[in-house]
Amino acid sequence: EIKYKKKKQIDRKKSELISKIVQIVKGTFKGYKGTVTNVADDIAHIELHSRPKPVSINIRDIKVLDR
């Protein structure tokens, strides 16, 4: 039961990322900003603002800019 509650809390946090503006802090696209379009497991799908290119980034490698 406790494990189920923890998973539910994690899923809720991931779904809260959708439509947020984020900055990538690590990797090839470091410094780029974009909007989160989808989150699956530990991967966020981000539509970059600088170019119309969707990228997949680990959620540990992004920082939320708006709340």
Side-chain angles (χ1 to χ4, degrees), residues 16-33:
E16 288 174 1
L17 280 175
I18 296 175
S19 298
K20 296 285 185 179
I21 297 173
V22 297
Q23 182 172 11
I24 301 169
V25 296
K26 189 175 181 183
T28 307
F29 297 99
K30 181 179 178 180
Y32 284 72
K33 295 177 185 175

Side-chain angles (χ1 to χ4, degrees), residues 42-66:
D42 289 339
I43 304 295
H45 302 281
I46 302 169
E47 185 74 34
L48 298 177
H49 291 174
S50 60
R51 42 178 120 157
K53 180 177 184 176
V55 295
S56 299
I57 305 289
N58 193 308
I59 58 172
R60 292 179 297 190
D61 298 339
I62 61 174
K63 175 176 71 171
V64 178
L65 297 179
D66 67 345

